[in-house]
Amino acid sequence: MPLAHVLHELPALAAAGPVRALDIARAAAELAFARVLLARKTVRQLGIPDLTPAPSPSFQPDQQQQAQLDRIAKAIAIAVPRVPWRSDCLVQCLAARRWLATFGIPARIQIGMKREPRDGCKDALLAHAWLAVGDIVVTGGDVSDFAAFGDRAQT
């Protein structure tokens, strides 16, 4: 991202208020750390896919945890297009999972796939990662069309 663009964003960041600005700065730092981790370690070393038993999908965050989830999800979403490196879905998952861990909130990175026509290919296979807390998707957007690895096929 060019310096001029960063300078252009500063007034909007200041207008967001000190708490939101700190959240966005923390999100950028977590994204940078996740990007470095992903470059230096294998996904297996990072615990992806997570082969431990999944936390109960019925886990429901309390009101304070839900507020943390919302803050972190929003800060990551705001920071991603503003950092000067690619922060694809897996980087976002790693960043948010690490941040949530500081609040003791259990999160699980899910990897999934779907088939979709793309770039002239009638049946392209797309992969995606998202972070889930119980049945709440924190990063990754709408994942309803993706089949998560480890899910049993319905027949």
Side-chain angles (χ1 to χ4, degrees):
M1 175 180 303
L3 180 60
H5 186 72
V6 172
L7 293 174
H8 177 70
E9 293 283 337
L10 286 177
L13 187 60
V19 172
R20 175 67 52 83
L22 288 173
D23 283 349
I24 296 167
R26 169 85 187 258
E30 292 292 351
L31 289 166
F33 186 78
R35 178 84 177 176
V36 169
L37 262 179
L38 196 54
R40 293 189 175 186
K41 296 188 181 256
T42 66
V43 288
R44 185 156 312 251
Q45 289 171 321
L46 294 170
I48 305 166
D50 188 347
L51 300 175
T52 61
S56 169
S58 63
F59 171 82
Q60 292 298 317
D62 61 30
Q63 193 172 11
Q64 184 178 6
Q65 290 171 325
Q66 184 63 52
Q68 294 296 348
L69 289 176
D70 294 342
R71 280 181 56 209
I72 290 169
K74 184 169 267 192
I76 295 278
I78 291 170
V80 164
R82 290 168 172 80
V83 294
W85 58 85
R86 282 184 60 168
S87 292
D88 293 331
C89 54
L90 188 54
V91 172
Q92 293 174 43
C93 289
L94 290 168
R97 181 177 70 173
R98 180 177 135 93
W99 194 354
L100 286 169
T102 65
F103 297 106
I105 300 173
R108 184 174 181 85
I109 294 176
Q110 299 279 185
I111 308 284
M113 301 182 86
K114 73 175 180 176
R115 292 191 182 276
E116 175 178 285
R118 181 173 243 178
D119 297 331
C121 180
K122 78 173 195 175
D123 208 18
L125 193 58
L126 303 176
H128 184 51
W130 61 94
L131 189 71
V133 172
D135 59 356
I136 299 167
V137 176
V138 180
T139 66
D142 180 12
V143 297
S144 59
D145 291 344
F146 287 88
F149 289 124
D151 283 355
R152 302 269 187 229
Q154 300 293 326
T155 55

